[in-house]
Amino acid sequence: MCGIVGASGPGNQVPQLVKALSRLEYRGYDSCGIALQATGRIRSVRTLRRVTDLEQRLTTLGLESTTCIAHTRWATHGAPSEINAHPIMSGDAIAVVHNGIIENYQTLRIALSSRGYTFHSETDTEVIAHLIHSEYTGDLLVAVRRAVKQLHGAYAIAVLCANEPERLVAARSGSPLVVGIGAEHNYLASDCWALHHLTDRFIYLDDGDVALITPERIQIIDADGRDAQRPLFRVKAHDSAVDLGPHQHFMQKEIFEQPKAVRDTLAAIDTISPSLFGAGVDARKLLSEVDNVLLLGCGTSYYAGLTAKYWLESIAGISAQVEIASEYRYRETVTNRRTLVVAISQSGETADTIGALDHAKELGEPPATMAICNVATSSIMRATTLAYLTRAGIEMGVASTKAFTTQLVALLLLTLTLARLRGRLTAAQTGEWLDRLRRLPTDIESALALETQIMGWAVDFADLEHALFLGRGMHFPIALEGALKLKEVTYIHAEGYAAGELKHGPLALVSGAMPVVTIAPDDQLFQKLVSNMAEVHARGGRLYVLTDSSSAFDTAKDGRLIRMRDGAGMLSPILRVIPLQLLAYHVGCLRGTDVDKPRNLAKSVTVE
Ligand code: AGP
């Protein structure tokens, strides 16, 4: 999704800023641009192409500057086009880059038009630029503060003013922004990852903050107009994440990193205890007080929550609801004040999940909120009392893979912790669970070894336009995730269903042209699933079955089989999803899609 970077300091900052912008490319974008202070005026360069194109244009134009802002845009208001690309200018005086959505932009646009402002783009951002211009009386910081008070919606902005050559002003509400502190320079970004080649010292702006950034100082003014001090964080870079190694794409690399990601997520755990979820807070007391769990997330993170519901109810004996964050935040719900609210998010910046978490807090003052997240410094991690940091390492591919499996591991640890607190597990049983979890990375390696067989399936899928994924019980969410992965990276229309639902509608779709991927472990639902598969077979559907090594299947009748190791038990969803990730990846490669940056999608979805 949109990315912001900015820099102010001696020397030409353009090359560093372009590099910073390129570090945000993995998030997905459709255009990019830069605005820079150049001898008393602002120059702006925009392109509908990649950051490398922007770089070439800047070199050709020979543009240099000590103070600049740049942006990658993921279109919301207005089509992807050069005119809608940021920076957006108000005349020659003000340049703005913006992440987020201004909900009252139509009203503001009408008001500004009546005051003589002309709009050139279709963006909501243009109202911000004109609003700041209209409030400007000689101090950019003051003008931005006045302007943002009139905005409704979510935003992170960076602003330049032609009259104030070394000053860069930033503001945020609902979209992340971080200030990077250098030796002689100061920087700005929507994600500290962008600035890791420049600094490891960061200040996170709070909602409502407006900041003035010059080479010498950072001044932050909070929502109430007071000078604010925000803590300084040191955040280490993990630059190995940007090397593909022997892999062709980040998605493939990240699928194959799952044994390590799970091992790292489990590292340093020698026992199951509430302290896993919070050092400085009384996690035991908070978790002992809950009798219900509400899991919030979007997309793949929502499916992690759906899987955890099966674990929480059967292992910990605690009721659990899973809500799509964007739905929950606007729904009237019945509040249970003994609910643990768990926000699941890889990025920790998903606007819908942050909104849902805020909504849950407003509704019922739950005794505990918890983040399950892969980014230690993210907004969601800072907004909850309890947290579990998954240690998947940065995920560059838009399609979530290792983040999902590590979320599942974290959710299983939460389940075991609640089960222990509720007297559902003895110390010996807990030890057995830990042993099984420690074997998980090796089991994932076995699942990864199925890649060649999956590539055989992928050839069959490459020319298709539809697919069904079926599962039952805790594999139903894995069917949903398998379908989502296929949709995302191959653009094949895919649907996941609880296999028992087949006869209630989707069976009408089944014909000789419909591949049906079935997750069929030899568990208590196996015979039921075999019946569901027979329904598909009888209608000529093409079955692709992921089953166990010992389950009784007739390949001639039951379609193409891939057998996985027996005995995964409750850990089975974590293993079964891996062949489905590989399937999506290889079908995407065969169809020639951009598997790491699928069209229209963004990695970090910071707008509603
Ligand atoms: C996963 O492959 C997707 N790209 C997407 O569904 C993602 O899981 C969702 O946007 C939630 O993101 P988050 O985990 O960063 O909150």
Side-chain angles (χ1 to χ4, degrees):
M1 196 143 278
C2 301
I4 289 175
V5 290
S8 180
N12 178 21
Q13 296 308 301
V14 172
Q16 300 287 30
L17 207 65
V18 170
K19 180 159 188 207
L21 202 61
S22 71
R23 292 174 67 97
L24 294 180
E25 285 190 283
Y26 78 97
R27 295 157 60 111
Y29 67 107
D30 46 55
S31 56
C32 57
I34 187 166
L36 41 90
Q37 295 279 9
T39 52
R41 66 190 185 109
I42 295 174
R43 296 286 302 270
S44 150
V45 181
R46 299 179 290 177
T47 175
L48 197 50
R49 296 164 69 186
R50 302 276 99 186
V51 173
T52 47
D53 180 63
L54 184 69
E55 191 175 15
Q56 276 163 16
R57 288 198 197 189
L58 288 162
T59 311
T60 311
L61 293 166
L63 289 175
E64 297 188 354
S65 177
T66 58
T67 309
C68 28
I69 54 178
H71 190 258
T72 48
R73 176 173 188 253
W74 185 83
T76 57
H77 294 62
S81 70
E82 203 165 301
I83 205 95
N84 289 333
H86 299 204
I88 297 283
M89 304 285 297
S90 180
D92 298 331
I94 301 286
V96 175
V97 292
H98 164 222
N99 290 359
I101 290 176
I102 303 305
E103 289 169 359
N104 59 335
Y105 86 101
Q106 293 283 23
T107 319
L108 292 170
R109 195 174 167 120
I110 292 165
L112 286 160
S113 298
S114 69
R115 291 164 62 189
Y117 283 96
T118 306
F119 285 80
H120 301 285
S121 76
E122 303 158 277
T123 65
D124 52 342
T125 305
E126 198 166 357
V127 299
I128 308 177
H130 290 325
L131 210 49
I132 294 170
H133 184 273
S134 72
E135 295 290 353
Y136 188 74
T137 51
D139 186 331
L140 182 61
L141 182 64
V142 172
V144 172
R145 286 185 53 218
R146 286 188 189 140
V148 295
K149 282 199 167 62
Q150 300 166 59
L151 303 178
H152 301 163
Y155 57 82
I157 57 171
V159 191
L160 293 183
C161 173
N163 295 343
E164 303 184 28
E166 289 200 326
R167 299 175 118 205
L168 197 164
V169 173
R172 73 155 277 186
S173 180
S175 271
L177 261 190
V178 61
V179 179
I181 314 293
E184 295 181 293
H185 305 81
N186 287 313
Y187 306 100
L188 181 74
S190 47
D191 181 340
C192 64
W193 169 256
L195 302 177
H196 275 316
H197 61 301
L198 299 168
T199 183
D200 64 356
R201 295 185 299 150
F202 297 98
I203 291 170
Y204 290 86
L205 297 183
D206 273 4
D207 269 350
D209 284 354
V210 180
L212 170 68
I213 297 155
T214 72
E216 297 83 27
R217 71 185 179 118
I218 311 290
Q219 183 190 356
I220 301 172
I221 298 180
D222 71 13
D224 298 322
R226 291 178 301 227
D227 275 321
Q229 297 296 322
R230 303 283 174 231
L232 184 82
F233 290 89
R234 277 193 183 268
V235 183
K236 291 267 166 276
H238 299 286
D239 269 4
S240 62
V242 292
D243 293 328
L244 276 173
H247 301 286
Q248 274 186 289
H249 299 97
F250 284 110
M251 183 177 178
Q252 187 188 35
K253 176 178 183 251
E254 288 157 6
I255 290 172
F256 277 85
E257 279 175 347
Q258 288 177 107
K260 178 179 183 317
V262 166
R263 203 172 281 121
D264 290 351
T265 297
L266 289 167
I269 294 180
D270 46 18
T271 185
I272 297 289
S273 111
S275 61
L276 294 175
F277 300 91
V281 289
D282 190 353
R284 177 173 297 277
K285 181 170 175 296
L286 291 173
L287 290 179
S288 301
E289 281 171 5
V290 302
D291 66 5
N292 183 48
V293 182
L294 171 63
L295 302 133
L296 304 171
C298 304
T300 291
S301 296
Y302 167 68
Y303 296 150
L306 276 186
T307 313
K309 176 180 168 72
Y310 289 86
W311 292 335
L312 285 161
E313 294 189 339
S314 70
I315 302 170
I318 190 164
S319 63
Q321 294 88 46
V322 197
E323 296 268 3
I324 295 171
S326 56
E327 284 295 309
Y328 170 76
R329 62 185 296 193
Y330 295 114
R331 204 159 61 74
E332 285 188 27
T333 51
V334 179
T335 308
N336 172 349
R337 287 177 191 276
R338 298 185 65 192
T339 293
L340 167 66
V341 178
V342 183
I344 308 164
S345 174
Q346 182 281 130
S347 61
E349 302 296 351
T350 301
D352 286 320
T353 310
I354 294 172
L357 182 62
D358 290 345
H359 180 65
K361 286 185 194 170
E362 279 160 21
L363 275 183
E365 295 171 4
T369 53
M370 178 183 290
I372 304 268
C373 186
N374 198 37
V375 181
T377 51
S378 63
S379 304
I380 287 180
M381 285 294 269
R382 287 179 284 124
T384 53
T385 41
L386 302 172
Y388 195 89
L389 178 67
T390 55
R391 294 182 188 275
I394 187 166
E395 196 177 59
M396 306 291 281
V398 164
S400 194
T401 53
K402 61 179 181 171
F404 178 64
T405 40
T406 53
Q407 283 170 347
L408 290 179
V409 168
L411 288 161
L412 189 54
L413 290 171
L414 172 63
T415 303
L416 298 177
T417 303
L418 291 172
R420 191 89 178 98
L421 284 174
R422 296 163 69 81
R424 303 259 304 193
L425 282 184
T426 63
Q429 287 167 327
T430 309
E432 283 165 26
W433 268 107
L434 274 177
D435 288 345
R436 285 160 71 185
L437 277 168
R438 289 194 185 107
R439 288 197 299 273
L440 191 56
T442 315
D443 294 340
I444 294 174
E445 275 157 17
S446 304
L448 290 168
L450 300 169
E451 186 178 31
T452 314
Q453 291 182 65
I454 288 290
M455 286 165 82
W457 282 15
V459 172
D460 288 6
F461 280 69
D463 295 324
L464 299 173
E465 292 310 323
H466 304 277
L468 284 178
F469 286 71
L470 303 180
R472 293 194 74 132
M474 63 187 169
H475 296 100
F476 163 47
I478 301 305
L480 294 171
E481 172 63 4
L484 178 66
K485 284 288 93 86
L486 196 74
K487 274 186 264 218
E488 270 188 303
V489 301
T490 71
Y491 316 149
I492 292 174
H493 168 228
E495 298 293 339
Y497 274 97
E501 275 288 287
L502 196 63
K503 57 191 171 296
H504 299 292
L507 199 55
L509 296 171
V510 173
S511 70
M514 178 64 87
V516 182
V517 180
T518 311
I519 307 158
D522 198 358
D523 60 13
Q524 75 278 13
L525 292 169
F526 180 67
Q527 284 311 326
K528 306 270 179 213
L529 201 75
V530 169
S531 306
N532 302 141
M533 283 162 46
E535 292 157 13
V536 173
H537 184 71
R539 279 134 191 110
R542 294 151 65 175
L543 284 161
Y544 294 80
V545 187
L546 273 182
T547 189
D548 290 344
S549 46
S550 57
S551 51
F553 268 111
D554 171 356
T555 26
K557 183 165 129 329
D558 299 319
R560 299 189 68 166
L561 294 191
I562 291 183
R563 293 188 182 273
M564 301 184 69
R565 273 193 193 170
D566 288 340
M570 286 287 192
L571 298 182
S572 174
I574 305 175
L575 298 169
R576 305 281 163 185
V577 76
I578 285 161
L580 304 183
Q581 296 168 344
L582 286 167
L583 178 66
Y585 170 71
H586 284 291
V587 177
C589 290
L590 289 171
R591 288 167 71 93
T593 56
D594 186 350
V595 290
D596 285 337
K597 296 190 203 83
R599 68 184 181 204
N600 306 336
L601 300 182
K603 183 67 189 163
S604 185
V605 187
T606 49
V607 294
E608 272 197 66

